[in-house]
Amino acid sequence: MVLQYKCPNCGADMVFDSESGMLACQSCGRKEDVEEYSEEHEWFQDQESQHTFKEGEVNEYHCNNCGAVIVSDADTTATTCSFCGAAVVLNDRLTGSLAPSVIIPFSISKEQAGNAFKAWCKNGLVTPSGFMTADRIKNITGLYVPFWLYDLNGKGEVKATCTKVRRYTRGEYTYTDTSYYDVYRKVDLNFFLVPADASSKMNDELMDKLEPYNYQGLKDFNTPYLAGYIAEKYNYTHEELFDRVKNRVEKYVDAYIRSTIQGYSSTTYNYKQINIRRKRVQYALLPVWMVYYNYKQKDYLFAMNGQTGKIVGKPPLSAQKILAWFAGTSVGVFLILRIITSLLGGGF
Amino acid sequence: MNFYRSSQKLCLYGAAMLFLMVCTTFFLFSHGVYAEEQLVYDYAGLLKEDEIENLESIAQEIGSQYNTTIYIITDNNSKGLSRKRYLEDFADSKEVTNSVIIFVNMEPGNRGVEIQGYGQDEFRMNNSRIEFVLDEVVPHLSNGDYYTAFTTFLEKTRYYLGKDPSEDKVIRTPNPNYAGSDKNYQKELRRNNIFYNIWFQLLVSLGIGGIVAGVLVHNSGGKVTVNDRTYLDSQNSRVVDHWDRYIRTTTTKVRNSSSSSGSSSSSRSGGSGVSSGGRSHSGGGRSF
Ligand SMILES: [Zn+2]
Ligand SMILES: [Zn+2]
């Protein structure tokens, strides 16, 4: 089942507009509210009615505009027709257990993403100066990446022996008083919407660095949000990713407990128990701009948080600039040390 | 640093030796041939000739009685050295074994007195006893009564050399303002401080440069900006139960420093130390 959004005015293709947060017609400029956009406006061809999508299955979808085969892999849920450029949503991959419950729509447009990326490259303190002189952006893709958002409860219990040390001098002796304390903490913490990247294509480390998303922008999922972007479905279930999230949140609980034990010189844990429980899991699509960039015959991939504009990725490094930083800082620090020393009148 | 210091030291050695040689010959000519070693070096010219002779003979007498050598030195200029270093270099040049030395530095703006004990006298004339001697000597120096100051020094030394230090009832701690009493000593302390060492500074500079460059490279790919509170629902999170119960206190005590008998090598507070020639000594000093 292929969904395409047609303008009620002129019949041209509509895409989601990040600026207004509405569906916008690219020819006449008409805007439609996503939430109120009713099914009757959707013009779709019921290819195989009641078809339920099977795992790993590659269906052949056809563009309703031009009839061309829509090129997609098994994970794609939204894309554009490679012939006529129409935005298409593969609806049967977004139903049942594959139906996302929430989405953060793009709030940064493709143009803004490109400009922000260029500005970021120019400011690169260790990137080559020639890195952004020519327009070498090969491709900017707006991608909705599947995430699981976990609401979790973390219970933690810690028993510890802590010490306070006091030093003082009486006569010719220095006394050290070490006071021991029996310390106990039990915490009940709640975490909301801890994200875990559910796509096997995305680099987890890269995705973690894109955080945080501002959850004020979280909306109930609606297919028109995907119009004009690429979207993927999850590869890992929330059960499969739970360990990853659990490890992460255990550290948060641990850090919380540590922050409540204060005013001691030393803390030794005797007992620690942390339990993470799942309260609710939501399937979410989060916006990412992927920027493919070519520099000196090498491709570089950058990701930008499609909501906040934060950029991550490995840029090319300039050995010269790194060396300059290293040498500059070293010489600067050395001179300062020398000046301080000679002012104090000690050194040679 | 070591390199600088040792070369500088060599020069100082050379100068000091030459100076001493010249002075010795001068003395030999003016006093005729002395069979016994010179013990009073009045470079500052604080004493009359008969006073010097008197002091020499008392020092000689105490020295042979207690198997030690007592020196009295005065100078107008310590050549940038601290009193402590000046005395250490003197002791090295004399290759002393057992020795008690007093040095009065009349350098303008940096007047001070220092006493050191070498060999057996590191214990017989320990830091504590030196403080007692200084108590008696300094007032005379302040009054400009140098001869009395030195005779007092000799008599107190005679008194202490004849007494077992382990029987001392009152032990004095080293002068807490020791470093402050000698401008040159403060400079030397800084020079010996690792933070003033040029190689150390170079290493630190390179280290900081490396860290800065490393952080830039590391952060060039974006950095993690979430922390353990980012996803915390703070309104629905709390400490359910907690206590901090006092159990007990243990106390340990450590002796502050070598105020007593042995100015052992571990305690180098106050004026005690080791000369560049490797001579360990007790010591103490004050400005006046
Ligand atoms: Zn239109
Ligand atoms: Zn088409």
Side-chain angles (χ1 to χ4, degrees):
Chain A
M1 187 161 83
V2 177
L3 287 183
Q4 288 175 250
Y5 298 91
K6 293 293 172 191
C7 175
N9 263 6
C10 65
D13 287 297
M14 298 180 90
V15 294
F16 178 75
D17 174 43
S18 59
E19 231 163 289
S20 58
M22 295 167 103
L23 266 180
C25 173
Q26 288 165 300
S27 355
C28 73
R30 184 187 165 118
K31 291 198 166 69
E32 293 280 330
D33 198 310
V34 172
E35 326 264 324
E36 285 164 21
Y37 196 85
S38 56
E39 295 260 323
E40 62 204 67
H41 288 99
E42 290 172 6
W43 188 84
F44 58 85
Q45 194 178 11
D46 209 354
Q47 279 183 326
E48 301 136 285
S49 59
Q50 303 309 312
H51 170 85
T52 42
F53 182 78
K54 290 180 195 72
E55 200 63 41
E57 181 180 4
V58 182
N59 270 338
E60 211 176 67
Y61 297 93
H62 293 273
C63 173
N64 297 320
N65 278 11
C66 65
V69 171
I70 291 163
V71 183
S72 71
D73 67 25
D75 296 327
T76 308
T77 57
T79 186
T80 47
C81 171
S82 45
F83 287 88
C84 69
V88 295
V89 176
L90 310 180
N91 196 36
D92 55 352
R93 292 177 176 181
L94 292 164
T95 52
S97 65
L98 292 170
S101 49
V102 285
I103 187 168
I104 293 177
F106 275 91
S107 48
I108 289 174
S109 70
K110 187 171 192 163
E111 203 189 351
Q112 287 172 323
N115 289 337
F117 177 69
K118 280 177 199 165
W120 179 73
C121 291
K122 274 184 195 147
N123 287 333
L125 296 172
V126 288
T127 48
S129 14
F131 183 47
M132 245 308 153
T133 47
D135 191 14
R136 294 203 192 79
I137 295 177
K138 278 173 80 181
N139 196 356
I140 300 186
T141 311
L143 190 68
Y144 279 108
V145 178
F147 275 83
W148 292 110
L149 302 180
Y150 295 81
D151 286 355
L152 303 158
N153 174 265
K155 287 192 166 60
E157 204 179 358
V158 155
K159 287 173 187 160
T161 304
C162 302
T163 62
K164 282 182 188 171
V165 177
R166 197 169 72 93
R167 250 184 215 101
Y168 55 95
T169 308
R170 288 281 148 76
E172 54 190 283
Y173 286 97
T174 296
Y175 294 84
T176 308
D177 282 354
T178 310
S179 302
Y180 293 83
Y181 292 83
D182 173 30
V183 170
Y184 176 76
R185 294 286 183 277
K186 187 176 183 181
V187 296
D188 185 8
L189 307 179
N190 286 294
F191 296 88
F192 44 63
L193 306 170
V194 183
D197 156 35
S199 163
S200 59
K201 284 180 194 155
M202 307 308 285
N203 177 318
D204 286 345
E205 200 195 336
L206 202 70
M207 289 299 118
D208 286 352
K209 281 183 182 169
L210 278 181
E211 289 177 33
Y213 280 92
N214 178 3
Y215 290 134
Q216 304 285 315
L218 212 57
K219 301 254 193 303
D220 284 337
F221 177 74
N222 235 321
T223 46
Y225 286 121
L226 305 186
Y229 299 94
I230 310 282
E232 303 252 308
K233 68 170 190 63
Y234 65 81
N235 302 108
Y236 302 112
T237 65
H238 64 79
E239 282 94 357
E240 286 171 315
L241 292 181
F242 183 59
D243 273 350
R244 187 167 175 236
V245 173
K246 203 173 95 176
N247 280 337
R248 182 173 173 182
V249 176
E250 274 173 1
K251 289 193 193 100
Y252 294 167
V253 176
D254 199 22
Y256 188 96
I257 294 174
R258 270 182 198 281
S259 74
T260 68
I261 303 177
Q262 277 181 350
Y264 294 104
S265 318
S266 78
T267 300
T268 315
Y269 280 10
N270 302 321
Y271 170 86
K272 183 170 90 174
Q273 179 73 44
I274 292 176
N275 255 310
I276 307 294
R277 195 169 49 81
R278 233 174 322 188
K279 291 197 302 188
R280 183 173 70 145
V281 187
Q282 286 172 281
Y283 178 25
L285 296 180
L286 302 183
V288 177
W289 282 109
M290 303 298 289
V291 181
Y292 296 90
Y293 186 78
N294 184 277
Y295 180 74
K296 290 194 173 164
Q297 281 78 52
K298 270 176 88 178
D299 283 340
Y300 294 90
L301 172 66
F302 299 90
M304 180 191 290
N305 184 316
Q307 184 194 29
T308 66
K310 185 183 180 187
I311 298 171
V312 301
K314 286 261 165 270
L317 295 174
S318 154
Q320 265 176 312
K321 275 199 183 179
I322 295 170
L323 202 69
W325 274 104
F326 172 66
T329 314
S330 299
V331 169
V333 171
F334 186 67
L335 285 179
I336 290 167
L337 286 176
R338 295 312 305 164
I339 289 166
I340 292 172
T341 314
S342 63
L343 283 181
L344 291 172
F348 290 81
Chain B
M1 171 78 205
N2 284 327
F3 166 75
Y4 276 91
R5 196 178 156 178
S6 54
S7 66
Q8 193 202 35
K9 213 181 307 170
L10 269 174
C11 290
L12 286 167
Y13 266 147
M17 293 297 259
L18 202 70
F19 191 65
L20 287 169
M21 274 161 64
V22 169
C23 292
T24 320
T25 36
F26 176 74
F27 250 82
L28 286 175
F29 275 104
S30 59
H31 285 88
V33 182
Y34 255 72
E36 272 152 345
E37 193 197 352
Q38 184 190 351
L39 300 176
V40 179
Y41 295 84
D42 185 25
Y43 302 131
L46 304 178
L47 302 165
K48 297 189 196 91
E49 223 163 275
D50 58 322
E51 290 175 338
I52 292 176
E53 270 168 44
N54 249 338
L55 292 172
E56 284 267 359
S57 70
I58 305 172
Q60 204 68 250
E61 181 196 324
I62 302 171
S64 51
Q65 187 181 349
Y66 293 106
N67 182 33
T68 185
T69 316
I70 299 171
Y71 293 102
I72 294 172
I73 311 163
T74 71
D75 207 332
N76 279 325
N77 178 4
S78 61
K79 300 161 204 84
L81 296 177
S82 67
R83 298 188 300 264
K84 189 179 174 192
R85 264 294 293 281
Y86 186 102
L87 275 184
E88 286 172 354
D89 290 354
F90 177 84
D92 284 343
S93 73
K94 291 284 174 193
E95 297 184 337
V96 300
T97 46
N98 296 340
S99 183
V100 180
I101 316 172
I102 186 169
F103 169 47
V104 170
N105 186 11
M106 297 302 290
E107 195 172 75
N110 197 27
R111 284 171 33 159
V113 57
E114 187 93 7
I115 300 172
Q116 289 183 346
Y118 286 84
Q120 263 212 310
D121 298 328
E122 187 181 347
F123 314 110
R124 292 192 295 192
M125 190 58 94
N126 61 35
N127 289 359
S128 166
R129 288 176 163 192
I130 287 173
E131 290 301 318
F132 282 115
V133 177
L134 286 169
D135 283 351
E136 310 255 336
V137 169
V138 170
H140 296 299
L141 291 171
S142 306
N143 291 337
D145 194 354
Y146 304 107
Y147 179 67
T148 318
F150 291 127
T151 50
T152 309
F153 159 73
L154 289 171
E155 288 320 311
K156 295 307 285 184
T157 303
R158 189 204 301 272
Y159 169 76
Y160 282 120
L161 293 186
K163 268 183 79 189
D164 182 353
S166 64
E167 281 162 17
D168 287 2
K169 293 211 171 57
V170 185
I171 303 294
R172 290 276 292 274
T173 50
N175 181 2
N177 189 33
Y178 177 78
S181 77
D182 188 338
K183 285 175 187 163
N184 294 333
Y185 184 60
Q186 289 173 304
K187 278 186 203 164
E188 278 167 16
L189 271 186
R190 279 203 286 272
R191 222 172 285 163
N192 289 326
N193 187 322
I194 187 161
F195 293 103
Y196 287 81
N197 181 310
I198 190 163
W199 298 112
F200 177 80
Q201 292 182 341
L202 195 63
L203 208 71
V204 166
S205 307
L206 291 176
I208 291 174
I211 289 167
V212 166
V215 166
L216 286 176
V217 169
H218 184 257
N219 286 345
S220 66
K223 53 177 184 269
V224 174
T225 50
V226 296
N227 59 39
D228 47 281
R229 301 273 165 141
T230 306
Y231 299 108
L232 185 73
D233 178 2
S234 43
Q235 278 169 352
N236 294 305
S237 296
R238 62 202 182 89
V239 176
V240 184
D241 196 4
H242 68 100
W243 66 67
D244 296 72
R245 286 177 191 150
Y246 170 77
I247 313 171
R248 66 179 188 281
T249 300
T250 59
T251 302
T252 54
K253 64 173 186 178
V254 178
R255 197 172 265 265
N256 283 338
S257 54
S258 70
S259 42
S260 68
S261 60
S263 32
S264 66
S265 57
S266 63
S267 51
R268 288 297 173 206
S269 55
S272 53
V274 181
S275 75
S276 17
R279 287 182 169 77
S280 170
H281 65 83
S282 60
R286 284 171 210 178
S287 52
F288 62 87

